Amino acid sequence: MSIKKTILSGSTVTGNLTLGNYIGAINNWGQLSKDYNCYYMVADLHALTVKQDPKELRERILSFFAQYIACGLDPNKNTLFVQSHVPEHAELQWILTTLTPMGYLNRMTQFKDKSSKQKEILAGLFTYPILMASDILLYQTDVVPVGEDQRQHLELTRDIVTFFHNRYGETFTMPKAYIGKVGAKIMSLQDPNAKMSKSDENEKAYVSILDAPKKIQKKIKSAVTDSETTVSFDPEKKAGLANLLTIYSVLTGKSIDEIVKSYEGKMYGHVKVDLAEIVCEKFRPVQENYNQLMKNQDHLHELMKTGRDKAREKASKTLKLVYERVGLI
Ligand code: ATP
Ligand code: LTN
């Protein structure tokens, strides 16, 4: 029997994975498999909360799966799977939906943000945090590594566990969010007050993991900063520069102080040129791995099947227990 604690996380299949996803999520995930039993999911059902082109979605699911591996998630050490391949996610979601008050969903800031940009608000966008709870609870997850933006969804998941336990008795492990101290919220390159988001309409706002070096250089060069020149770390007054310095620090492992010192007497432009180089170097091997993996798509499909079987083994046990508790035959 495994005594390791369980981790689960995932990323929604929208847009292209960004530097924010890399720093706030995937890069941390790879280091956890030594100590935890890790499940990482390509969240394709979540992507349906916004309009998708079926052909593009299908391609993107495969691409995300390959990007996870290319970023260093070893399919032999982690359970890597596609959410829709495990039907238990949608099944548990229904049970949990019957226990979740509308008022709790109404409070979700991500729902408020995203729905304010839609002409017609669909129910799936509203109930999506319940699907996320179901993702987490099916695997009896202890720890959920996510960026700061997901904290509220984790709180909701914990509330749902309490509702379920009060009505039907102890069934789920109570999960906790794990949010890194540095880099938990990488900001947009065009608006340092907004999160870097892979579904941003402005492509210049984010760097994608798969962007060519020239594009990366261009985007970082045109990152919005202030009109001062002295390099210093001040997230309040110099949010744009502070964001660049944070990215620099996380990718190099150097402290912010050390970085600021090394730019004494230099300009913001110097930071940008060096940072672009650092990001390109970080993503070069990732892109090489990715291109290699995409050449053999049959192999990727095999890996998906293996991941699905491992995930279902656990998920089906939990769902069976839930159905028993709830009184279904
Ligand atoms: P979307 O814009 O489509 O909502 P997203 O870029 O916010 O997408 P998600 O799929 O929602 O990405 O998130 C995947 C993981 O990456 C989550 O753990 C999330 O917290 C983390 N993450 C996303 N954006 C950032 C960011 N800017 N900084 C740090 N972590 C992030
Ligand atoms: N909603 C998450 C992606 C996601 C997730 C999860 C993260 C879907 N299911 C379960 C952690 C655990 C997001 O980042 N948008």
Side-chain angles (χ1 to χ4, degrees), residues 136-185:
I136 295 167
L137 301 181
L138 270 180
Y139 300 92
Q140 302 290 5
T141 304
D142 298 280
V143 183
V144 185
V146 279
E148 183 60 44
D149 61 314
Q150 298 298 316
R151 187 190 290 279
Q152 204 187 21
H153 291 156
L154 256 296
E155 285 308 316
L156 177 75
T157 302
R158 292 168 60 86
D159 288 334
I160 292 176
V161 170
T162 306
F163 297 143
F164 192 97
H165 287 180
N166 286 345
R167 190 174 308 178
Y168 300 114
E170 285 284 307
T171 305
F172 299 115
T173 302
M174 183 63 93
K176 264 202 209 106
Y178 168 75
I179 297 172
K181 285 199 182 68
V182 186
K185 195 167 182 186

Side-chain angles (χ1 to χ4, degrees), residues 11-12 14 20-21 24 114 146-147 149 184 186 195-199:
S11 183
T12 309
T14 38
N21 299 131
K114 292 202 171 177
V146 279
D149 61 314
I186 299 300
K195 182 186 86 141
M196 181 181 285
S197 163
K198 60 180 149 55
S199 47

Side-chain angles (χ1 to χ4, degrees), residues 1 6 52 101 108 170 176 189 223 237 247 301 317 328:
M1 230 183 72
T6 297
Q52 299 287 342
M108 296 295 119
E170 285 284 307
K176 264 202 209 106
L189 297 180
K237 294 198 193 102
I247 298 171
H301 284 288
K317 274 194 198 134
L328 300 175

